[in-house]
Amino acid sequence: MTKYIFVTGGVVSGLGKGITAASLGRLLKARGLKVAAQKLDPYINVDPGTMSPYQHGEVYVTEDGAETDLDLGHYERFIDENLNQFSNLTTGKVFSSVISKERKGEYLGSTVQIIPHITDEIKRFIYTVGKKTNADVVITEIGGTTGDIESQSFLEAIRQVGHEIGRENSLYIHVTLVPYLKASGEHKSKPTQHSVKELQGFGISPDIIVLRTDEPITDKSIFHKISGFCNVKPDCVIENLTLPILYEAPLMLEQAGLANIVCRELHLDTAAPDLAEWQAMIERIKSSDETVTIGLVGKYVQLHDAYLSVAEALRHAGYSLNAKVRIRWIDSETILPDTCEEILGSLDGIIVPGGFGKRGIDGMILAAQYAREHELPYFGICLGMQTAVIEFARHAAGITDAHSGEFDAECPHKVIDYMPGQYAGIAKGGTLRLGSYPCVIKAGTTMAACYGETLIHERHRHRYEFNNDYRMALQEAGLCLSGSSPDDLLIETVELSSLPFYVGVQFHPEFKSRPNKPHPLFVGFIKAALEYHT
């Protein structure tokens, strides 16, 4: 029978429940178990697709085109398993489904209520991911903080799951903050005690308590106190210390015995964990002796989580090349003709990631121009590809008023415009080009050199495309259209093959990068940046 693990959080948000869940998934997979992960988010949006990056961070896209919470990126990077539309559920999605069923008369005249209708819908979703993936273990993270009004239906649903399948098949992990008071030089366990009491008020008694802390807990009486007051076994109180390297978390939690305890409590008989590859990766990270500086030029740089997967993919590439990647976060609005050299002159490479809206576009175009004219390695992703096309059209192909239909609907030369089937009045939620699509790569290009193959599959999230009306003009000016859809209707990648690395891609390769399996385009980009640096 599939085992179900539920990860909740207490005291404050942002404790790293997702990293804890992802790390546990890695440890269980290392023991030969098939692991699936999912996130239940209490907000009422149907998905994060229409939310501002400042509100939510990046939107992570799965192979099957689901727009999801960024924690799913952590799950995929740590566990190295592709997730799907059943991996992220929101309150909005639950209510939308229940109301739709009610309108169709599927409840046979019953009064629709939180219990059982909402909770049944949540439980159906939880059980489905295990069935769809044939997983041995499903790890489900509950978003938000215990005590939030929005989370109550989710907590009731996971309580019911535990009751239905039995405690031998379900496990509850509670991640809480243990603050360190510098004035008195001590950690405080009281917030954890109150948080567990709150959780118990919902009928859930945690089996394991993970203590998040920035300072090592040297007073071991803290563990005994929490064990006694919170009614958990002494070895089930585990420290989760803030680490300098994110990917050390699984090794730290393995040393603390987390996975062994989980297997014991769920009666899982497994082989010894094989973490050799992961340990070798950490040693490689620690021994990196080169440094390369990459300018990440975007419009949401005040919140680094808005570009989480891009930043991680850059670091992954650095790991494989024995280099530390230093990211310089550059607000594209600060790049002006008279500041361009000062801001970009000391970089080893420029990456322009995705985004929406006109704000900051002029700075991105200037960044693309600077990189092209100075032969500085350039990597444009989605919007970054589109701004590179606009820049090339204006300054290399002589189409001085070229622009995108997204930014200037009246522009006479829209080198970027709506993709087929899209238009201004379309509903904004879930209508982008989403999920994995094939791309055919032209031989002899930078793209071909990076991938080493001619047919690839990458994940998309966009509404605008390269305008085919300008293919010939831009090619004659020297732009290489290096990748396209198999039917050749959509241009997926562009490049300047004569430069060391100047590539723009319409898709989002960052979603497929793993710390121990870096994405080939990011590796090619960082390799070029290292050569530029020297």
Side-chain angles (χ1 to χ4, degrees), residues 19 22-23 26 73-80 246-247 249-250 278:
I19 298 298
S23 298
R26 184 77 206 184
H74 289 312
Y75 303 159
E76 286 204 355
R77 286 188 285 272
F78 277 73
I79 306 172
D80 195 18
L246 176 68
Y247 300 106
W278 202 265

Side-chain angles (χ1 to χ4, degrees), residues 302-322:
Q302 288 85 352
L303 180 67
H304 293 180
D305 274 358
Y307 303 111
L308 180 60
S309 290
V310 172
E312 290 304 310
L314 289 169
R315 296 182 182 113
H316 300 165
Y319 301 159
S320 71
L321 296 169
N322 196 37

